[in-house]
Amino acid sequence: WRSEVTLVTALIFVLVLLATGCRQRSTGANAAKAANASASVAATRSGHESAVADASRFCVEHLVVEPAESPTIGLPTPATSTLRSAIAAALAGLEVVAAVDAARQPSRPDATKGGSCVRRVAHDERVGVWVKPRFVLLDADGAPQPARAQLAAGTLALEVTVQVERAKATEAPDVGMRVFAASFPFTSRSAAAGVAFVEARLVRAAALAAADALGQVWIRPQSDAQIGGLLESQTTWQRVAALREVGERGGGDQLKQVHAAARESRAEVAVVAIAALGRIGTAESVAVMRSVMMAAGAEVTASILQALADLELAEARAELRSIAEQHPDRRVRQAAGRLLQR
């Protein structure tokens, strides 16, 4: 799983003070030099930061969670109301989210207008969030199981689709969408945990997908130069959003920074960087992914397999074939084999 996101915004406040100081009228030569020096520092350090708003940016006014779907009979399925409350709480814990008004009245999301969203953020920073969770039990060969009782142990595969819509006062709404997919071993202990096992993983997946979708909406208006600067941001969600946008825009000029992010110990950064390499990677990127995979967890490993499959390079194909034949984990070998057959 991805770790929780972190936040750093003090630099913006410092830069504002520097810029303000530079505008103040100086009365002597030394004061003028100091002001010019401050202006120079502010100009070089605030290029991309000037466009970065508060780390807690969006306020969720509306939250719709569809009933969880599963074709596997006998799997514990969370109640929609319980799942919605848990997802609302998880969204409130995201660094990119300032508040979740919708959490206060789960049955009436439209009745929350005038809540803390109005007091905290501008109209353009209020969003609605729609969540659709799905999950299924797979056997050792990756085939869906029609009934839980037919399998002593298997793999729980889940997919959560999240769409966010940002209100715009004068334009059409700005929409972002992400799909988060993951799989987990499902054993007798998992079954004994009951609905809590499934619910916790669906909630976490929804929160991560929402964070990505909100980042997508936030990063979209940024220029290439601003995105390049945000690749070094100490605010995790901003860096993740920039990495994903680099992959979508095809920003090969930032390949060195994406390689560095792929080596990150924080899974939520590494996974997105590796996905970007699946779009803009080179033969050197294949070597980077090979080294990362030596100590990678399940989520990063899955991202590497998908990135290798996405890269239209002979080196990537050869690496994926090597994994399918030689990786010590049978499940990883099988996953690589299935990707080779696409």
Side-chain angles (χ1 to χ4, degrees):
W1 285 101
R2 305 179 187 180
S3 58
E4 294 296 328
V5 287
T6 58
L7 54 91
V8 174
T9 54
L11 180 59
I12 302 171
F13 180 69
V14 172
L15 293 177
V16 171
L17 290 181
L18 287 172
T20 302
C22 293
R23 289 195 297 268
Q24 291 178 341
R25 182 178 181 180
S26 58
T27 56
N30 290 337
K33 290 179 180 180
N36 290 334
S38 297
S40 177
V41 171
T44 57
R45 295 175 64 191
S46 66
H48 71 274
E49 298 287 355
S50 62
V52 178
D54 218 332
S56 296
R57 183 165 180 81
F58 293 105
C59 196
V60 179
E61 278 195 309
H62 311 288
L63 173 61
V64 176
V65 177
E66 300 287 344
E69 291 182 357
S70 176
T72 306
I73 300 172
L75 274 180
T77 303
T80 303
S81 58
T82 302
L83 194 59
R84 186 186 185 283
S85 296
I87 290 175
L91 293 179
L94 295 176
E95 185 182 14
V96 66
V97 174
V100 182
D101 274 359
R104 300 188 303 184
Q105 296 188 44
S107 62
R108 297 182 60 210
D110 291 335
T112 61
K113 294 181 180 179
S116 61
C117 281
V118 174
R119 298 190 300 271
R120 285 172 179 257
V121 300
H123 183 270
D124 285 0
E125 294 164 352
R126 302 175 205 161
V127 296
V129 177
W130 174 84
V131 180
K132 180 60 183 179
R134 300 179 178 89
F135 60 99
V136 63
L137 192 61
L138 308 177
D139 64 13
D141 296 323
Q145 288 302 290
R148 164 73 182 91
Q150 296 180 6
L151 193 65
T155 299
L156 177 70
L158 60 85
E159 178 185 276
V160 178
T161 302
V162 173
Q163 179 173 306
V164 301
E165 182 176 304
R166 174 167 61 175
K168 290 276 189 96
T170 58
E171 306 173 28
D174 194 3
V175 177
M177 177 181 287
R178 293 300 184 202
V179 178
F180 186 92
S183 59
F184 310 89
F186 192 87
T187 64
S188 56
R189 293 184 61 184
S190 308
V195 71
F197 180 85
V198 177
E199 179 183 310
R201 283 149 183 80
L202 289 176
V203 169
R204 178 69 172 156
L208 293 173
D212 279 351
L214 289 168
Q216 178 189 24
V217 169
W218 177 81
I219 199 72
R220 193 175 287 144
Q222 311 293 336
S223 68
D224 289 344
Q226 289 169 329
I227 289 173
L230 287 166
L231 289 173
E232 306 293 336
S233 175
Q234 296 301 306
T235 304
T236 302
W237 73 265
Q238 294 172 356
R239 189 180 183 195
V240 166
L243 285 165
R244 196 178 295 280
E245 190 70 8
V246 165
E248 293 186 356
R249 295 190 188 187
D253 293 342
Q254 289 90 16
L255 195 57
K256 183 177 179 180
Q257 292 167 289
V258 180
H259 284 166
R263 297 186 179 98
E264 273 272 359
S265 59
R266 292 174 293 175
E268 75 270 22
V269 175
V271 164
V272 177
I274 291 164
L277 292 180
R279 294 179 173 230
I280 65 172
T282 62
E284 181 185 358
S285 305
V286 175
V288 169
M289 288 187 278
R290 182 188 305 121
S291 66
V292 170
M293 193 166 184
M294 294 176 64
E299 189 178 357
V300 174
T301 296
S303 297
I304 291 174
L305 295 179
Q306 188 61 57
L308 291 172
D310 291 341
L311 271 178
E312 297 181 357
L313 296 174
E315 294 87 348
R317 190 76 176 176
E319 183 65 24
L320 194 60
R321 185 175 297 108
S322 174
I323 294 170
E325 295 172 353
Q326 302 176 19
H327 196 278
D329 190 319
R330 173 180 55 82
R331 291 171 299 181
V332 175
R333 293 197 304 270
Q334 291 174 338
R338 287 193 293 270
L339 289 170
L340 283 169
Q341 295 171 6
R342 293 194 316 181

